Amino acid sequence: MGNQASSAVSPSSSRYQTSTLPESFFTKYADMTPPPYTQNSLDTRSSSNIVFRSSDEQYLSLSRRDVDAHTGALIPWTWSPGGLVADLPEPSTTLRTLFGFIGARNHPTMLNESFESLAEVAKAAEKYQVFSAINKFTPRSFGDRHPKLVLLYAAHNDHPHIFDECAPRVITSENLENFAPLLPEHLRLPWWR
């Protein structure tokens, strides 16, 4: 039984056969007629962009698809798809830079930014879980000039490798009794050790 030859059809020649391809494969553009609109598709299309209002009353817009794909918490829980605007507490300069990391585009480099503006964008990236911004930059490059601030950023945003890099500079330059209360509670005892 197991040694009998199969009665299956032998494979055809190894040459490419065009008869198995659909006719539309050879045309440059397939039928591009859009499907008819229904009420559901109109509702989906009207909610395809989300408009955000910054604390300084500037309006910024992002694609809902990009927001869902590239962030974890940008849309406030108070916003509904029928709502016109989602309010965010950050200024427009911070949000414009942050929104540059959302979607398929070249991301901002932040090379010439001050530590203060970089820290604001990094804080917003952590808050809204804009993963490409979190992975692209952190205040790490300012560790030599602002070790205390960078160490605190790393401590409060769970970046142990940045914390470890800045710790030797902070230990030698800061009063430990004044610095320890600024750390998250779970790091205070290890810091003293």
Side-chain angles (χ1 to χ4, degrees), residues 116-129:
E116 290 76 21
S117 59
L118 179 66
E120 287 299 317
V121 174
K123 183 173 142 184
E126 295 282 350
K127 176 181 176 182
Y128 299 122
Q129 299 175 3

Side-chain angles (χ1 to χ4, degrees), residues 66-75 90 98 101-102 121-135 157:
D66 286 341
V67 170
D68 290 340
H70 298 277
T71 71
L74 183 61
I75 301 172
E90 289 78 18
L98 182 66
F101 289 94
I102 299 172
V121 174
K123 183 173 142 184
E126 295 282 350
K127 176 181 176 182
Y128 299 122
Q129 299 175 3
V130 181
F131 304 113
S132 57
I134 293 169
N135 295 330
N157 293 294

Side-chain angles (χ1 to χ4, degrees), residues 46-121:
S46 67
S47 65
S48 64
N49 280 346
I50 300 174
V51 177
F52 296 93
R53 181 174 35 217
S54 65
S55 63
D56 53 350
E57 299 294 320
Q58 297 292 314
Y59 293 89
L60 305 146
S61 177
L62 285 174
S63 160
R64 175 70 187 254
R65 185 178 318 157
D66 286 341
V67 170
D68 290 340
H70 298 277
T71 71
L74 183 61
I75 301 172
W77 64 270
T78 57
W79 184 81
S80 66
L84 298 176
V85 175
D87 290 313
L88 298 177
E90 289 78 18
S92 60
T93 54
T94 300
L95 292 176
R96 271 195 192 91
T97 304
L98 182 66
F99 288 4
F101 289 94
I102 299 172
R105 62 181 68 144
N106 289 331
H107 296 156
T109 59
M110 304 292 291
L111 294 176
N112 298 322
E113 298 293 324
S114 68
F115 177 75
E116 290 76 21
S117 59
L118 179 66
E120 287 299 317
V121 174

Side-chain angles (χ1 to χ4, degrees), residues 132-182:
S132 57
I134 293 169
N135 295 330
K136 176 82 171 180
F137 72 93
T138 61
R140 173 187 239 162
S141 59
F142 288 89
D144 291 336
R145 290 177 278 172
H146 304 283
K148 177 181 173 182
L149 296 174
V150 172
L151 184 129
L152 288 172
Y153 166 83
H156 287 279
N157 293 294
D158 196 30
H159 295 289
H161 54 287
I162 298 173
F163 185 90
D164 292 343
E165 286 177 16
C166 292
R169 281 174 255 161
V170 174
I171 287 175
T172 59
S173 66
E174 295 292 327
N175 181 346
L176 297 182
E177 288 96 23
N178 295 335
F179 185 70
L182 301 175

